[in-house]
Amino acid sequence: MPPSHLLRAFLVGMALAAGPAHAQAPGGLDKVSFGTNWVAQAEHGGFYQAVADGTYARYGLDVTIVPGGPNVNNRIQLIAGKIEFFMSANTLQSFDAVANNVPVVAVAAIFQKDPQVFLAHPQSKVTKLEDLKPLTLFVSKEGMPTYFQWLKSEYGFSEENVKPYTFNAQPFLADKNSAMQGYVTSEPFAVEKQAKFKPTVILLADYGFNAYSTLIETRTAFAEKKADLVQRFVDASVTGWYTYLYGDNSAGNALIKKANPEMTDDLLAYSVEKMKQYGIVDSGDTLKDGIGAMSDAHMADFFGKMVRAGVTRRDIDYRKAYTLRFVNKAVGLNLRPKN
């Protein structure tokens, strides 16, 4: 789901709440919980895979995945010390935490590309991002203060043509001169199924919206005091993602469907295919540094764009939002297919 900006003072207060819930599980495994930001789906696949095939256990961890949802805020659970790790939406959440003195830190970036897209009708002849400008754009309330501000500052988009997106495709389907926001791994599939046509897909990441997405986040103090455990969680998660993308992911998918009975095999397969096709997880720096890679240069570049767009305050120390201590170690590269 898009990043939430509803933290502010409440989260700062919660940051002083109970300490880590870390405990020793039977069999000598370290027991930890990982909260996602939405219901179980392929976009969480590597984490479920690492649970299902025993990867976390091989790294000495007993991991419980706590699914998110419309009425669940696992970010608050992380800050309150109720869970050890959280899957944050994208880098903007990390910057927002710094701005509000919330003591959390991103320790890995599973998605090198944010999956945010616009979908257009074939009749509109859209071939590139700029072609969207004259169309009616359906944008969510979370999208307006975030990526759309970047569209305005970098590409000269206007709010005049924007209408609210309520996660209902019908207004888009009814207007061939419109475009709708979505994720490359899900909304195009839903449109194809519902309307029986293949929409044109414009991935914002391919035009410079270079936020990391699906980051592993933990409390800053936990990363410092439990560095070995954090390293094992990151390495095992990365291994799970290589297996989920390139190996036998049936165990991970079975666990996803158990956690989310509404999930279907065809959507899972579609999502995995699109993650690979668009290089959402494995592209750029990951080709040499491994899945989860982050870099100072990448973070600095995105921060600069968000400052210019008025999304992020210029005076924050964005470097507090992340650490490279646990990534860029080429973990799992041997699991990527050679061809």
Side-chain angles (χ1 to χ4, degrees):
M1 293 293 289
S4 170
H5 289 267
L6 302 178
L7 301 173
R8 304 298 184 253
F10 178 65
L11 289 192
V12 176
M14 290 293 286
L16 303 176
H22 167 66
Q24 197 78 10
L29 301 181
D30 292 312
K31 186 174 180 61
V32 296
S33 295
F34 173 62
T36 67
N37 60 9
W38 198 241
V39 296
Q41 53 191 291
E43 292 87 335
H44 309 166
F47 304 113
Y48 281 93
Q49 183 70 32
V51 171
D53 67 11
T55 297
Y56 282 130
R58 290 195 296 275
Y59 279 80
L61 301 171
D62 177 9
V63 175
T64 299
I65 296 179
V66 183
N71 300 310
V72 179
N73 191 332
N74 278 329
R75 191 101 186 282
I76 289 178
Q77 297 301 307
L78 172 72
I79 296 163
K82 304 300 184 183
I83 61 177
E84 286 71 39
F85 298 98
F86 172 66
M87 191 188 82
S88 74
N90 72 29
T91 318
L92 286 174
Q93 272 195 325
S94 303
F95 293 164
D96 198 48
V98 175
N100 289 282
N101 297 312
V102 179
V104 295
V105 63
V107 295
I110 299 301
F111 284 10
Q112 295 297 292
K113 296 182 180 181
D114 191 297
Q116 190 76 60
V117 297
F118 271 106
L119 282 61
H121 292 259
Q123 295 91 330
S124 63
K125 310 292 186 189
V126 169
T127 60
K128 60 185 182 299
L129 181 65
E130 292 88 340
D131 294 340
L132 297 171
K133 286 184 181 181
L135 304 182
T136 297
L137 301 178
F138 291 101
V139 180
S140 70
K141 63 180 181 180
E142 294 89 358
M144 287 305 297
T146 55
Y147 75 80
F148 196 81
Q149 299 309 305
W150 167 81
L151 286 173
K152 288 168 59 179
S153 68
E154 297 285 329
Y155 288 93
F157 276 66
S158 169
E159 295 183 13
E160 292 182 0
N161 295 337
V162 172
K163 291 185 177 181
Y165 174 55
T166 60
F167 299 92
N168 176 4
Q170 285 303 321
F172 162 69
L173 297 177
D175 182 358
K176 291 182 172 54
N177 290 312
S178 72
M180 178 185 83
Q181 77 167 50
Y183 275 0
V184 71
T185 48
S186 54
E187 273 77 6
F189 175 85
V191 167
E192 288 183 43
K193 284 287 187 180
Q194 185 174 350
K196 309 302 180 186
F197 74 88
K198 189 169 184 175
T200 302
V201 175
I202 301 293
L203 182 69
L204 299 189
D206 288 343
Y207 291 85
F209 187 72
N210 57 338
Y212 290 127
S213 181
T214 307
L215 295 100
I216 299 174
E217 188 176 76
T218 190
R219 293 180 300 280
T220 305
F222 190 82
E224 294 169 354
K225 296 176 183 177
K226 299 287 185 179
D228 173 70
L229 188 153
V230 173
Q231 187 69 70
R232 285 184 283 132
F233 183 81
V234 169
D235 290 352
S237 299
V238 165
T239 300
W241 270 102
Y242 276 112
T243 304
Y244 188 73
L245 289 176
Y246 303 121
D248 179 3
N249 61 14
S250 57
N253 282 338
L255 199 55
I256 289 172
K257 289 189 290 182
K258 182 178 179 181
N260 179 12
E262 295 183 2
M263 183 54 61
T264 62
D265 289 328
D266 53 351
L267 177 54
L268 287 167
Y270 179 91
S271 298
V272 171
E273 176 193 349
K274 294 307 174 183
M275 283 191 281
K276 292 195 285 189
Q277 176 185 340
Y278 285 90
I280 299 298
V281 177
D282 196 12
S283 62
D285 290 338
T286 70
L287 300 182
K288 61 179 178 63
D289 294 332
I291 287 174
M294 296 189 291
S295 76
D296 291 325
H298 192 121
M299 283 287 191
D301 184 65
F302 183 66
F303 177 72
K305 290 174 180 176
M306 293 304 99
V307 169
R308 289 194 298 274
V311 175
T312 301
R313 284 173 21 206
R314 183 181 302 274
D315 63 341
I316 71 167
D317 184 359
Y318 71 90
R319 291 164 296 187
K320 293 181 179 178
Y322 69 99
T323 176
L324 304 182
R325 178 177 183 177
F326 305 102
V327 292
N328 305 338
K329 301 178 187 294
V331 171
L333 285 182
N334 59 308
L335 299 175
R336 183 194 293 128
K338 302 301 181 186
N339 49 12

